Amino acid sequence: MKSTIVMTGANRGIGRVAAELILDGSPDTHLVVVARGNAGARVAEELGPDSVSHVAVDLASLASVRSGAEEIGRRLDAGELPPLAGFVGNAGIQHTNALTETEDGFESTFAVNVLANHLFVRLLQNRFTVPARIVLTVSDTHFGDFRHNLGMVPGPEWHSPDSLSRTAAFAKPATTAAGRTAYSTSKLAAIYLVHEYARRLPTGVEAIAFNPGFVPGTDLARHADPFSRFAMRRVLPALTLTPLAATRAAAGRNLAGVVLGDIPAPTGSYVDRDRPAPSSGESYDPQREAEIWSTAEQLIAAYAA
Ligand SMILES: NC(=O)c1ccc[n+]([C@@H]2O[C@H](COP(=O)([O-])OP(=O)(O)OC[C@H]3O[C@@H](n4cnc5c(N)ncnc54)[C@H](OP(=O)(O)O)[C@@H]3O)[C@@H](O)[C@H]2O)c1
């Protein structure tokens, strides 16, 4: 049966590979690419306008997320899209400070990596035809130890979710370390939300956190200094010859596998590359999970009604 999957972060990096493989593996899928500017139109042109359409959304703006979700809803209602079977929140951003603020007044990493996904999930949750699957791309960095971050990204620092949503939540907020702490913390927050989704979403709507591993050669470090960008593009890809890093192709293949259910994983689980595995001990915390749910609900309230 034909079905629709809505996907963010499909226009480059890991997501671009996954988008192609989702369509190859499931030719009955219609992919709605949610991307900034005309990036989605480009993907539709490349992958075929019959199986891909696009919605222009800047995930750093809650108003833009809402209008994108409304457009998808209208197209579902009009029968222009087949039934909705999935949402893939793969887009992500990493800054070199914790001071970048969105038009809504939120710290940008938190806005894109946490709030945009949450608003999409909440606006789409009653539109899914079960069985349906939500996949959020998270990160190894939420562990915070050397084995998982190779010393490149500081571990998460949990504070009250309201303070995490604002700039300057971390010490020395103008530094790269603070920006990367905001990143690992946002991914921990996303795992907490996946646990909440598994408990709260309608039966048959599954939620999974996917960790691609370290994937050098994408544009995730685009805001970093020239030396780090050079290392990410030209030097660190050598690590993909070792178990320490994954190629874009492998990470995209795994993401597509989780989205299509070829990598079986129960709702609420964490998929480490190609198999379900425990996430960090810190990431199982019902009290924090309830807190982040409740704060995220308040922060998106004006757009979710
Ligand atoms: N690379 C790694 O080592 C690694 C490791 C663990 C997890 N991840 C996660 O994997 C996911 C994909 O990252 P990647 O490595 O493939 O990086 P990437 O090449 O930079 O891709 C990031 C994607 O997110 C989109 N995005 C960012 N901000 C957006 C916004 N405001 N509105 C709309 N789209 C936005 C980008 O769109 P634009 O083209 O418009 O910027 C792009 O499609 C992210 O969630 C990242 O955190 C990556």
Side-chain angles (χ1 to χ4, degrees):
M1 193 180 98
K2 285 200 171 300
S3 61
T4 296
I5 294 178
V6 173
M7 180 168 180
T8 71
N11 62 300
R12 60 164 118 184
I14 298 164
R16 179 61 180 77
V17 176
E20 199 158 342
L21 295 177
I22 288 168
L23 294 171
D24 284 353
S26 175
D28 278 343
T29 293
H30 182 91
L31 196 67
V32 177
V33 171
V34 173
R36 289 189 270 204
N38 64 0
R42 218 173 40 241
V43 180
E45 209 173 282
E46 288 163 9
L47 295 181
D50 288 344
S51 43
V52 180
S53 56
H54 65 96
V55 175
V57 171
D58 180 352
L59 298 168
S61 155
L62 292 178
S64 180
V65 171
R66 179 170 68 180
S67 96
E70 282 173 350
E71 185 178 332
I72 292 164
R74 272 194 302 275
R75 291 174 58 196
L76 285 165
D77 289 341
E80 292 165 26
L81 292 173
L84 182 63
F87 170 73
V88 186
N90 174 66
I93 195 88
Q94 185 178 105
H95 288 288
T96 48
N97 60 61
L99 294 171
T100 313
E101 196 172 45
T102 66
E103 64 183 28
D104 301 314
F106 300 119
E107 193 282 315
S108 164
T109 322
F110 191 88
V112 173
N113 297 3
V114 181
L115 290 182
N117 285 329
H118 189 63
L119 184 54
F120 256 122
V121 166
R122 297 290 278 141
L123 291 173
L124 294 179
Q125 73 169 67
N126 293 324
R127 293 194 163 274
F128 288 112
T129 303
V130 298
R133 177 166 290 192
I134 292 164
V135 179
L136 300 189
T137 302
V138 296
S139 167
D140 257 345
T141 59
H142 86 275
F143 276 90
D145 56 9
F146 189 85
R147 185 162 81 83
H148 290 93
N149 66 15
L150 307 176
M152 292 186 286
V153 176
E157 259 182 49
W158 196 253
H159 299 290
S160 83
D162 195 52
S163 93
L164 293 176
S165 74
R166 308 289 167 185
T167 55
F170 306 102
K172 300 189 182 154
T175 60
T176 298
R180 291 182 180 167
T181 304
Y183 176 80
S184 58
T185 308
S186 75
K187 297 298 187 177
L188 178 61
I191 297 173
Y192 287 144
L193 281 173
V194 164
H195 296 164
E196 284 292 315
Y197 297 154
R199 286 191 280 265
R200 290 176 185 262
L201 293 186
T203 309
V205 180
E206 301 185 331
I208 292 161
F210 166 68
N211 166 44
F214 174 46
V215 189
T218 72
D219 292 310
L220 189 63
R222 70 183 89 160
H223 297 298
D225 61 87
F227 174 77
S228 304
R229 287 203 309 271
F230 176 78
M232 183 81 167
R233 283 235 150 254
R234 304 273 174 216
V235 182
L236 295 170
L239 286 180
T240 60
L241 300 170
T242 76
L244 294 174
T247 60
R248 211 164 62 91
R253 190 171 62 242
N254 288 337
L255 175 55
V258 178
V259 172
L260 295 178
D262 298 338
I263 296 178
T267 188
S269 64
Y270 175 84
V271 173
D272 181 23
R273 286 159 256 230
D274 61 357
R275 68 201 62 185
S279 47
S280 71
E282 184 182 10
S283 71
Y284 299 92
D285 187 325
Q287 193 180 328
R288 288 184 183 179
E289 288 160 12
E291 272 168 27
I292 182 78
W293 169 274
S294 134
T295 301
E297 287 287 286
Q298 286 161 26
L299 299 178
I300 64 161
Y303 299 91

